[in-house]
Amino acid sequence: MTKEEQAAMWKAEIEKRLQGVQKLRERLKPVEFTSELWGIYKGAYGDVREDVAFLFCPKEMIPDTEKIRRLDFEEKDSYEIIFDNLSENLTHQLSLYDASYLVMPYLVLLLELKRQEHDFDWQMKIIALAGDLMATDIPYCGGGSENESKMPEDIMESYHLSIALLREMTKEFLSKNMDRLKEAEPEWKRQYFCTDVLAILGDSQAAYQMLMGQWEQCPVSCPDCGYYDEDMESDGFYDKEQLEKIEPALPVTGKWDGKSYEDTYVWFSNLVHLLRVEDHWKVAYYFGTYTCPECGSKGTLIEWMKMSAD
């Protein structure tokens, strides 16, 4: 088989797969794979269109693929490697890449296909990646409205519609799979997933801070006197002395109805508790009251952390 024939076969199979979500595809209007925009709006390692396209190809037809993450020694098939490569391309050093705006609609299409197939593991993976992308679409990473204004209007319309649908699909996934999520292993995967859900449903800037600090380090500066707390950044939750600077928020365990997402602290605190995240107790500190050691001013820790990053 010639390269041209193989490429034509791949294209036909990808298109066939996308027909399963054709109505949603027509609604989202993602950038076509033939568009030159993929060569303009890239990821960390360049054009990502091939990796995106192959996610809609039957696994047995995907060519052998090398890992971008050289230190990942886990045995994986080519389909998983392609997904991991796309993830690395879009989240390298937890930075924002313009390719994310083109990819998000396709992640929603893929999520819908996996939902139709009742594939729990892949739905969880896709939601986690989408959460990573939303966590980086913040001013501190060069995202937000200012960066979006530089992008073509039709791309941003598709992107924002995709996010709106993603939020509803994520809520549905949580409501239908809570018991299975509790059993997801290893434990760090549940913690990571919860943080990505925070980016999707609650507060992307807070999620970014928690991802960057790995739920340990807390870079914070006082908005009143400008004091930067180096000890909180270096020691954070490692040091009990640092925790004494924070009055934890009141416990809200059991006070979430599992449906409302208006109060971020309430639903997020309950989610990490329900999913048996070992560090669930830290949420009360993130949303607790931090006192500046220099001037005595008080403020919500996670809010001051967000301001410190601006």
Side-chain angles (χ1 to χ4, degrees):
M1 183 182 296
T2 66
K3 290 183 178 180
E4 290 74 16
E5 290 173 332
Q6 193 170 43
M9 179 183 66
W10 284 330
K11 182 178 180 181
E13 288 296 328
I14 291 167
E15 185 59 34
K16 180 180 178 181
R17 187 101 162 94
L18 282 167
Q19 286 299 312
V21 286
Q22 185 59 25
K23 288 186 178 180
L24 183 57
R25 184 184 179 187
E26 291 173 356
R27 184 180 176 188
L28 295 179
K29 296 181 176 64
V31 174
E32 298 293 337
F33 291 128
T34 54
S35 173
E36 295 180 354
L37 293 175
W38 293 97
I40 298 174
Y41 303 112
K42 304 178 181 180
Y45 302 96
D47 191 327
V48 302
R49 90 177 86 194
E50 191 171 282
D51 286 344
V52 176
F54 271 126
L55 291 175
F56 295 92
C57 193
K59 292 183 179 181
E60 63 273 12
M61 293 180 62
I62 294 175
D64 291 338
T65 307
E66 293 186 1
K67 296 178 179 179
I68 290 179
R69 297 169 179 168
R70 301 291 185 183
L71 298 180
D72 180 3
F73 300 112
E74 183 180 345
E75 286 292 328
K76 297 179 179 180
D77 60 32
S78 292
Y79 189 84
E80 292 176 294
I81 292 172
I82 282 176
F83 184 83
D84 286 352
N85 286 352
L86 176 64
S87 299
E88 180 64 20
N89 230 318
L90 298 175
T91 64
H92 180 64
Q93 296 184 338
L94 208 57
S95 298
L96 174 69
Y97 300 94
D98 289 339
S100 296
Y101 298 124
L102 280 67
V103 173
M104 186 65 81
Y106 283 103
L107 287 182
V108 172
L109 292 174
L110 187 63
L111 180 59
E112 173 57 20
L113 283 172
K114 299 302 181 182
R115 187 193 68 81
Q116 293 175 8
E117 297 167 358
H118 306 288
D119 193 324
F120 168 82
D121 291 333
W122 273 101
Q123 288 182 78
M124 189 174 178
K125 288 181 181 179
I126 295 165
I127 289 172
L129 175 55
D132 280 345
L133 302 190
M134 290 187 64
T136 60
D137 189 10
I138 57 178
Y140 178 70
C141 295
S145 58
E146 184 175 344
N147 187 59
E148 291 180 11
S149 65
K150 302 174 184 176
M151 299 291 294
E153 185 175 343
D154 55 344
I155 288 179
M156 296 316 304
E157 287 180 359
S158 178
Y159 175 72
H160 285 297
L161 178 56
S162 299
I163 287 176
L165 291 172
L166 172 67
R167 287 179 173 136
E168 295 309 310
M169 295 168 79
T170 300
K171 291 176 185 178
E172 180 183 10
F173 179 75
L174 290 174
S175 66
K176 291 184 176 181
N177 296 282
M178 195 65 74
D179 288 338
R180 291 193 67 179
L181 283 166
K182 292 176 184 178
E183 304 303 321
E185 294 293 344
E187 183 272 339
W188 65 260
K189 184 180 293 186
R190 300 196 299 275
Q191 179 171 316
Y192 185 78
F193 178 76
C194 286
T195 315
D196 284 318
V197 170
L198 175 64
I200 295 171
L201 299 180
D203 190 330
S204 57
Q205 292 188 59
Y208 178 84
Q209 289 296 321
M210 297 173 78
L211 287 169
M212 283 294 290
Q214 299 181 328
W215 285 56
E216 290 292 354
Q217 298 171 316
C218 304
V220 59
S221 59
C222 176
D224 294 326
C225 71
Y227 173 77
Y228 185 79
D229 196 332
E230 295 181 358
D231 292 330
M232 283 294 293
E233 179 180 20
S234 61
D235 298 329
F237 289 108
Y238 290 108
D239 188 350
K240 290 184 179 180
E241 184 178 337
Q242 304 310 315
L243 292 181
E244 292 177 358
K245 301 174 183 177
I246 310 164
E247 181 181 351
L250 294 175
V252 291
T253 304
K255 296 184 178 181
W256 181 44
D257 61 6
K259 299 177 182 179
S260 174
Y261 291 89
E262 292 182 2
D263 190 318
T264 301
Y265 172 56
V266 170
W267 74 257
F268 185 63
S269 180
N270 277 273
L271 179 64
V272 297
H273 186 271
L274 288 169
L275 296 194
R276 300 183 295 111
V277 174
E278 291 181 8
D279 287 341
H280 67 86
W281 60 272
K282 295 179 181 178
V283 176
Y285 282 86
Y286 276 119
F287 288 83
T289 302
Y290 167 84
T291 300
C292 174
E294 187 71 15
C295 71
S297 292
K298 298 178 183 291
T300 303
L301 176 63
I302 193 64
E303 293 299 325
W304 279 19
M305 288 172 64
K306 287 158 54 176
M307 287 188 286
S308 298
D310 291 339

